[in-house]
Amino acid sequence: LRGLGRFWFGLEPQTQGRFTSTASAQKENTTAKAAKESKTFQAIQEERREQAERSVLISCPSKINEKKFLDYLSKHGTINKHFFYNSYGAYAVVEFSSRESIASLKESINIPAVEHEAAVPFKSRLLSFKWPGSQSSSHPMPKFKVQSPPSINEINQLLSEKDSIDEQLQCLTEALELTEENVSLRFLVCSLLRDITGAYFPECIIRPFGSTVNSFGKLGCDVDMILDLEGIYATSQKKGSGLSLEYQVKRGASERAVTQSILSVIGKCVDQFGPGCVGVQNILQARCPLVRFSHQPSGFQCDLTANNRVAMKSSELLFLYGQLDPRVRHLVFGVRCWARVHSITSSIPGAWITNFSLTVMVVFFLQQRNPPILPTLDRLKELAGPSDKCVIEGNDCTIVSDLSKITLQQNTDTLEKLLQEFFEFYGNFPFNKASINIRKGKEQTKPETTALYIQNPFETTLNISKNVNATQLERFVALCRESAWLLQQKEILNRSSDSPWGFAALLLPSVTSGAGVKSRRKRKLEPASSRIKNLLDSLKIKGGETVAKKGSA
Ligand code: CTP
Ligand code: MG
């Protein structure tokens, strides 16, 4: 059934549309835009959600005639924005200026006639554009927007062209951060999914959270979603007569059991009726039950949760921290990239440190500077106004939403200094007895014996890094020490044209667990072929085959 639920419409070449030229989206990230317009986190999310509801996702031929395509679509209304991208085929995201255009478009399109198979007749906003007859390729090709991150080689190339570590980290952020188009696509995928879940819960909203919205997302990161059913509870209560009516509802043993049963039905529905949704897994026994699936047309891995409002609040908190000072995002992007290259983080769940934990660790480190670069969470709560009050399941999640109320102290540390001190700070942190607490902005005594204890910002009895084991923590500490040491070496800091320097030098394979840090620079300066030969030799030695040939691995 997969992939068959799409609609298609034919092109009428003679039709002259009322297309007005689209202001093609510029490369301006969400954070920069928000800072300029000083909108609250909620206002930004609402705006994007509303734009997504006015948008469609269209599979189209890669040699598409952009003008004819837009002319055809603009018969249904003015197009605000559009862009093309490739994900196992060409796609277009088209945002109309009004929702009526979507209704008009839907009226004009057909359910495909599927030979040998049968179609599930679900009218989604994922469409297929069919071009009658063969197309001439004389027209200009549309520009396809990149949706994946640069490779490590491309990153190294970019870094080598910069003049300082500060510039390198700024450039790294620009290369990895989510683009305007990628964020639009993420909101559109949530909105398309809402069309499915809306069949069960018409008042529901699917909201992205996590790195899609917290300003630390990297191209290619997963889309974390919440099925938000709060709107259902918001029906007006008529008071006065003493009489009242209630909906009859099915009951579950606990909140968790209800969440599990909702997600299990939604998971099944996404699997059987969701166009483009493949590999659906119901992971309902997790601490936070979820439905995981791939959305093929966007290429996104999606995690749908429900009843998870606290996580949305943590996303808002991280977003706020990311907005307060540009160095926060640069340092987080640098540390996350460094951690990924050294397999400190992983895309597979396990005993690894997560990106979320690393981000909180950077925030904590920046609260410890003298003077502090970031305020404590308690301070953000003190600054909150009455409308910011927020209590979720007994947890006080209040934080100020108006950034202009926050005054920061003068701290002019360079990114180079901060990076160096970040590695020193965590290379020497007393993890055995202290926990990381961004609410107080101070180390606290560890309440339990887990390897790494980072207090959950809002659910204060929880540890966000409970999964991390001693081995992974030791690897992190050893790498921090090695990187701190490297950043003290003059040769690493001097811009060089023939070998990675500055931040790029920290991305080279580590030797912490091997022959020692000092041999690293020497090995790095060798040509790649000889480095690979040495590596192969060392692997052979580990395999016990050539022990007699070489003395050390
Ligand atoms: N979260 C949490 N506690 C955890 C793990 C996650 O509260 N122990 C919340 C955080 O708000 C986090 C979100 O769930 O941002 C999504 O988790 P995850 O996808 O692991 O992290 P991201 O921040 O989205 O980072 P990534 O780019 O690795 O997806
Ligand atoms: Mg995520």
Side-chain angles (χ1 to χ4, degrees):
L1 298 178
R2 282 168 187 150
L4 295 179
R6 294 182 192 177
F7 290 72
W8 66 278
F9 48 87
L11 179 76
E12 294 163 44
Q14 72 279 17
T15 316
Q16 284 302 309
R18 52 192 160 93
F19 162 66
T20 48
S21 87
T22 61
S24 82
Q26 290 160 357
K27 166 122 175 90
E28 186 180 34
N29 69 66
T30 339
T31 314
K33 214 174 156 186
K36 224 187 283 166
E37 298 167 11
S38 70
K39 286 184 185 150
T40 63
F41 177 78
Q42 269 93 2
I44 296 164
Q45 308 315 307
E46 270 313 298
E47 188 178 326
R48 288 209 169 268
R49 187 172 73 81
E50 199 270 323
Q51 285 165 352
E53 286 185 351
R54 292 187 266 111
S55 304
V56 286
L57 181 53
I58 308 178
S59 156
C60 49
S62 56
K63 287 185 184 163
I64 189 152
N65 182 329
E66 186 171 4
K67 180 166 184 319
K68 279 189 177 174
F69 174 73
L70 294 170
D71 280 351
Y72 177 83
L73 289 174
S74 54
K75 277 195 305 166
H76 299 279
T78 309
I79 296 170
N80 270 5
K81 271 188 224 150
H82 78 281
F83 65 89
F84 293 91
Y85 69 91
N86 266 310
S87 165
Y88 302 104
Y91 286 89
V93 171
V94 180
E95 182 197 308
F96 286 95
S97 66
S98 125
R99 283 178 73 163
E100 278 85 69
S101 306
I102 305 276
S104 156
L105 182 65
K106 276 185 154 185
E107 282 284 303
S108 75
I109 58 186
N110 307 312
I111 301 253
V114 189
E115 279 176 48
H116 313 303
E117 286 166 308
V120 173
F122 169 61
K123 291 192 169 184
S124 78
R125 280 181 287 139
L126 175 58
L127 313 168
S128 283
F129 191 76
K130 301 275 156 119
W131 201 275
S134 65
Q135 283 185 69
S136 80
S137 51
S138 53
H139 56 80
M141 290 287 283
K143 202 168 176 286
F144 288 88
K145 299 280 181 177
V146 174
Q147 306 298 324
S148 48
S151 69
I152 186 72
N153 286 343
E154 287 165 331
I155 289 175
N156 277 327
Q157 181 58 39
L158 286 169
L159 297 179
S160 72
E161 290 159 8
K162 299 293 152 196
D163 289 322
S164 64
I165 290 187
D166 284 55
E167 280 185 21
Q168 285 184 324
L169 288 177
Q170 286 159 20
C171 150
L172 184 79
T173 309
E174 281 165 24
L176 295 179
E177 72 191 350
L178 303 181
T179 58
E180 171 68 24
E181 293 84 7
N182 193 267
V183 177
S184 300
L185 185 55
R186 286 163 182 268
F187 274 80
L188 177 52
V189 171
C190 292
S191 175
L192 295 178
L193 199 65
R194 201 226 83 93
D195 289 349
I196 300 174
T197 53
Y200 286 105
F201 303 104
E203 299 88 345
C204 79
I205 296 173
I206 299 218
R207 303 183 191 277
F209 73 105
S211 54
T212 296
V213 298
N214 69 16
S215 82
F216 299 107
K218 172 189 148 192
L219 284 170
C221 70
D222 65 355
V223 187
D224 303 294
M225 307 172 177
I226 299 179
L227 172 70
D228 183 351
L229 299 171
E230 286 304 304
I232 297 180
Y233 296 99
T235 43
S236 65
Q237 298 274 319
K238 291 255 182 322
K239 283 181 193 156
S241 68
L243 301 171
S244 76
L245 274 174
E246 276 183 350
Y247 289 100
Q248 280 226 357
V249 290
K250 193 109 186 168
R251 284 147 209 261
S254 63
E255 284 268 3
R256 180 175 166 82
V258 171
T259 301
Q260 285 170 326
S261 88
I262 292 172
L263 284 178
S264 91
V265 173
I266 299 290
K268 188 143 196 197
C269 187
V270 169
D271 188 24
Q272 309 222 346
F273 301 154
C277 299
V278 299
V280 181
Q281 281 174 277
N282 282 3
I283 307 173
L284 304 179
Q285 298 311 320
R287 186 186 75 80
C288 183
L290 66 115
V291 175
R292 176 166 289 169
F293 60 96
S294 299
H295 186 257
Q296 269 190 334
S298 59
F300 293 142
Q301 175 77 28
C302 306
D303 278 353
L304 175 66
T305 60
N307 197 7
N308 194 11
R309 284 168 62 216
V310 183
M312 181 60 98
K313 213 62 198 176
S314 341
S315 306
E316 178 179 348
L317 175 69
L318 293 190
F319 176 82
L320 195 148
Y321 277 130
Q323 295 255 77
L324 290 179
D325 187 304
R327 288 172 295 181
V328 181
R329 292 181 70 240
H330 298 319
L331 199 59
V332 169
F333 272 89
V335 169
R336 281 184 169 204
C337 174
W338 165 88
R340 186 70 191 91
V341 166
H342 293 295
S343 306
I344 293 288
T345 51
S346 163
S347 53
I348 311 158
W352 294 273
I353 298 178
T354 63
N355 278 330
F356 180 52
S357 295
L358 277 178
T359 310
V360 175
M361 287 168 96
V362 173
V363 168
F364 183 71
F365 161 74
L366 294 174
Q367 290 174 334
Q368 309 285 302
R369 297 305 82 218
N370 188 12
I373 293 180
L374 287 177
T376 66
L377 179 45
D378 272 343
R379 180 70 190 137
L380 297 179
K381 187 175 148 189
E382 280 165 22
L383 293 170
S387 62
D388 296 329
K389 180 107 188 113
C390 172
V391 178
I392 303 170
E393 289 159 22
N395 299 299
D396 191 342
C397 302
T398 307
I399 49 169
V400 60
S401 60
D402 177 359
L403 267 73
S404 65
K405 288 191 188 163
I406 306 168
T407 42
L408 300 169
Q409 299 187 52
Q410 243 328 307
N411 176 313
T412 53
D413 287 348
T414 61
L415 282 168
E416 178 182 325
K417 180 168 188 233
L418 291 173
L419 188 67
Q420 161 91 46
E421 291 188 359
F422 172 87
F423 291 129
E424 280 170 18
F425 183 78
Y426 285 112
N428 296 306
F429 192 83
F431 287 107
N432 57 340
K433 54 178 203 302
S435 70
I436 291 167
N437 185 317
I438 61 166
R439 182 165 282 281
K440 302 267 166 260
K442 279 199 199 104
E443 304 170 16
Q444 306 281 300
T445 310
K446 226 162 72 162
E448 50 182 66
T449 56
T450 38
L452 175 59
Y453 197 102
I454 305 176
Q455 190 192 59
N456 186 312
F458 296 117
E459 293 172 284
T460 51
T461 57
L462 299 179
N463 171 12
I464 65 165
S465 52
K466 201 182 164 96
N467 62 310
V468 177
N469 65 19
T471 313
Q472 291 307 321
L473 182 65
E474 278 160 24
R475 288 189 55 236
F476 170 75
V477 171
L479 267 161
C480 281
R481 288 180 183 169
E482 180 180 327
S483 295
W485 183 86
L486 280 169
L487 285 174
Q488 284 163 6
Q489 309 310 304
K490 270 207 205 83
E491 45 183 345
I492 293 286
L493 296 178
N494 288 343
R495 194 184 189 291
S496 145
S497 56
D498 60 347
S499 67
W501 64 277
F503 183 71
L506 306 184
L507 303 181
L508 290 165
S510 153
V511 288
T512 323
S513 52
V517 169
K518 284 194 178 155
S519 65
R520 179 189 157 120
R521 177 70 175 167
K522 185 169 154 276
R523 199 175 67 162
K524 185 163 55 66
L525 294 172
E526 292 166 1
S529 57
S530 93
R531 262 188 281 146
I532 291 165
K533 185 177 168 298
N534 287 347
L535 181 67
L536 285 172
D537 284 343
S538 84
L539 288 174
K540 281 186 202 154
I541 289 162
K542 280 183 193 143
E545 290 167 35
T546 54
V547 180
K549 266 207 246 166
K550 280 214 161 195
S552 66

